Each structure stands twice: as structure tokens, then as C-alpha cells.
Amino acid sequence: GIQVEQSPPDLILQEGANSTLRCNFSDSVNNLQWFHQNPWGQLINLFYIPSGTKQNGRLSATTVATERYSLLYISSSQTTDSGVYFCAVAPAGGGADGLTFGKGTHLIIQP
Amino acid sequence: GAGVSQSPSNKVTEKGKDVELRCDPISGHTALYWYRQSLGQGLEFLIYFQGNSAPDKSGLPSDRFSAERTGESVSTLTIQRTQQEDSAVYLCASSLYPIYSYNEQFFGPGTRLTVL
């Protein structure tokens, strides 16, 4: 099946810093989503981005489908950005396939 | 409803007992998915339902696991003869697919299952 690798696994930053999280995947995809898992375990949708670039406030994401990677940018980090960020993909041609998740990036923003 | 809902939020059971977990998808969403999250395995996909198509059960961990969905509404995940390795958070998601081939999935809060 499709493989998803996220880096870095852990990231500790000071409030106000910027960060870039990376997601590499092993095959063509028709779905790529970025999630933030909050301390209560809820998966919050950040971006649905199988290709292209999107921005939402301090967050933006870019997926280069031909090179099989996606980047999540967080600018001017706040302590509330702490948590685990997951990238998840579904292979192209699979219709409504389930998502394959990476192991996540654990982000800690210190005040 | 406004989002995907799941019940119960927490379930503690004894080894060997059967449990039933429930998921209510977002109204109008035709596709429904079950996942589980455990420390050792991360987030793994279990099964999905879309319309009247028969679900692909190959992702279920064992034959003790089964799932049903009534039309395009509620789904239940049943685990028979629970084992300690079944302890995990079980997550449900739904999506609009196949409308416009848009497959963004939205997750519920999960059911935390503890098998003693």
C-alpha cells in the first residue's frame, strides 16, 4: 500500500517562530489532508490539498503532486498551535478509499 | 447534525465481552469510515461504506470485528470477545464522496475503548 512519511517527528519552538512540516508519499494520490490533533484527541481539519497551494490565516500548505510531497507552513506560532500534526493520503483511482496516515509531527510551542 | 458524533465517548469492558460502537455521520454525507488509533499502530483505516456498495472488510483486524450501516445514516462497529489488544480510540469519519469526487473526510471525537 501507499507509504506516508512525516518529518520532523518532533519540533520544539518558541512562540512567534515559523515552522515547516513535511509529508512525503510513495504513490499518486487523489486525497491529501492535513490535520491537527488537539489535546483531547479531536482531529481538526486544516487543509484538503491533493495538489496546489492554500492559505488559511497563519497556516498555509503546498502539495507538489508530481514530486509526491506536501508542506505545511505555520507562521507566528502560538502556544495553541501545540499538538500533533498528521498528513493523510488516499491513492489515486481508489474512489472513496480510507486514508493512510503518517506517524505525525509532535509540535510544542513554548511561551 | 453539525458534525460527526460517536457514542459512547468512553467504554470500559472486560476481556471476552462484546462491545458496540456507534457513529452518526454528517447529514448528507454518503461515505462513512472507521479508523482506530493506538499507541503501537498509530492511526489505521478499518472499513468504509459508500452508498449501497458492499464494504471492503480487508482492513478489519480480525474476524471478531464487524460493521454495519443502515442506508446513508448510522453505522455500528461491533467487536466480539474483546481482547486487551483491542484497547484503542475508535474514530469515525464521513465525506461527501462521490459528489463532485470531493473526498475530504471529517472526523468524530472518537470512542476510547479500554479492555481490562
Side-chain angles (χ1 to χ4, degrees), chain A residues 42-58:
Chain A
Q42 176 74 53
L43 283 169
I44 308 298
N45 288 40
L46 298 178
F47 294 102
Y48 170 79
I49 188 167
S51 64
T53 298
K54 291 185 178 180
Q55 180 157 8
N56 185 2
R58 296 182 295 104

Side-chain angles (χ1 to χ4, degrees), chain A residues 3 16 27 39-41 47 50 52 54 58 69 74 80 102:
Chain A
Q3 305 296 313
D27 209 340
W40 297 271
F47 294 102
K54 291 185 178 180
R58 296 182 295 104
Y69 73 88
I74 305 174
T80 51

Side-chain angles (χ1 to χ4, degrees), chain A residues 84-104:
Chain A
V84 183
Y85 289 79
F86 288 104
C87 169
V89 304
D97 270 353
L99 295 170
T100 298
F101 281 77
K103 295 186 184 299

Side-chain angles (χ1 to χ4, degrees), chain A residues 21-109:
Chain A
L21 282 57
R22 187 177 179 102
C23 172
N24 293 334
F25 44 96
S26 61
D27 209 340
S28 300
V29 299
N30 69 2
N31 183 355
L32 189 148
Q33 293 184 241
W34 283 98
F35 297 92
H36 176 209
Q37 189 164 43
N38 68 20
W40 297 271
Q42 176 74 53
L43 283 169
I44 308 298
N45 288 40
L46 298 178
F47 294 102
Y48 170 79
I49 188 167
S51 64
T53 298
K54 291 185 178 180
Q55 180 157 8
N56 185 2
R58 296 182 295 104
L59 274 60
S60 63
T62 295
T63 297
V64 184
T66 53
E67 297 187 22
R68 298 181 184 169
Y69 73 88
S70 183
L71 302 173
L72 176 68
Y73 305 98
I74 305 174
S75 64
S76 304
S77 300
Q78 300 176 358
T79 56
T80 51
D81 293 332
S82 296
V84 183
Y85 289 79
F86 288 104
C87 169
V89 304
D97 270 353
L99 295 170
T100 298
F101 281 77
K103 295 186 184 299
T105 292
H106 187 195
L107 177 64
I108 297 174
I109 304 299

